[in-house]
Amino acid sequence: MLKEENTATHQQIKVNRAFTRQSVHYDEDDKKNLILADMRRQVREHVESFLKPDDRILELNAGTGLDAVYFAGKGHRVHATDLSDGMIEVIKRKVNDLQLYSRLTYQQCSYDQLDELNLGRFDYLFSNFGGLNCIRDLDMVTCHFPSILKKNGYATIVVMPRVSLWELLSVFKGNTRAFRRFNKNGTISHLEGEYFITYYHTLSTIIKAFGPDFQLVKVEGLSALIPPPHKAAFPQQRPGLYRFLKKLDKKVRGHFPFNRWADHIITTFQFVPQ
Ligand SMILES: C[S@@+](CC[C@H](N)C(=O)[O-])C[C@H]1O[C@@H](n2cnc3c(N)ncnc32)[C@H](O)[C@@H]1O
């Protein structure tokens, strides 16, 4: 167990339960979704543009370790962390099945308690696909970064911002939750029978949370023009349009407003302490 239930927050207990249930079919869902596969490819390419051979990576909210296994397979050493009992169990199984012992280690840890790791400094910090949308104050996570990241190291976080063009446009299809991301107090998410709060982070709140010792070096929209992953059937239903949107997306995702208004945004910071 991560910690006694009386010390975990109410939110974390619910998040743990929801993702533990989801861990059972997470990889299967991921494999079937072509949009998600394209998004994951984009995130990996983004990270690989900064990674150096043999870099030691700390992954936060690693889920079932899909990216951790990928980066370990590329020769990096990865320490994968997550809050959820179920997700950590899946990572453990993969490490054993794939014999990744020397490249991939894992630990159950909430990202607001990274001071408990005691593993020295990493070359790279990485958080993918909205794990950090489960916390209201990003500072509670980023406050640990200066003591666990090497000087000139990088941190990439992938989070859901407040504005998603696809979600806003869904108002014309009668989506009553099209403006949910604008609620500063977050919105209630329902996952696997649990209700918890999702908080959306703007680029400016992210920059503020990192603080002056971190320099923003790259920001890209993820699914700015291509549909979000819950539109999983879109690539099969409209293959021509999907290909066209993908091409266009690639051209614009590094530029305003598409690097801020998207389903997720990928932000990378370099640690350059003053
Ligand atoms: C949408 S999944 C993303 C998983 C993985 N990064 C991926 O790309 O597949 C979100 C993950 O965030 C984790 N998470 C949520 N709150 C967390 C916290 N406080 N500390 C660590 N992990 C957390 C969940 O357990 C879940 O595995």
Side-chain angles (χ1 to χ4, degrees), residues 15 19 26 40 61-63 82-84 87 109-111 128-129 131:
V15 167
F19 282 103
Y26 193 88
R40 208 179 274 286
N61 55 265
D82 199 278
L83 173 80
S84 143
M87 293 294 190
C109 176
S110 177
Y111 44 50
N128 200 5
F129 281 163

Side-chain angles (χ1 to χ4, degrees), residues 180-230:
R180 65 183 175 144
R181 295 189 183 209
F182 292 102
N183 190 340
K184 284 199 171 125
N185 294 318
T187 58
I188 305 284
S189 290
H190 182 210
L191 182 70
E192 304 279 348
E194 295 291 336
Y195 293 87
F196 56 87
I197 306 177
T198 298
Y199 302 95
Y200 298 92
H201 307 297
T202 62
L203 181 61
S204 52
T205 37
I206 299 169
I207 294 172
K208 200 157 159 246
F210 271 87
D213 287 346
F214 287 85
Q215 213 167 41
L216 179 67
V217 288
K218 192 169 178 180
V219 53
E220 277 186 318
L222 188 57
S223 263
L225 295 184
I226 62 165
H230 68 267

Side-chain angles (χ1 to χ4, degrees), residues 26-27 30-31 33-48 59 62-68 70-71 126 128-129 222 266:
Y26 193 88
D27 285 3
D30 189 274
K31 213 190 307 176
N33 193 320
L34 285 180
I35 299 179
L36 210 49
D38 281 332
M39 290 169 72
R40 208 179 274 286
R41 201 171 302 121
Q42 186 189 332
V43 173
R44 288 174 182 173
E45 277 172 12
H46 179 117
V47 170
E48 282 169 333
E59 185 173 1
T64 57
L66 286 166
D67 294 316
Y70 172 82
F71 287 120
F126 175 51
N128 200 5
F129 281 163
L222 188 57
I266 317 171

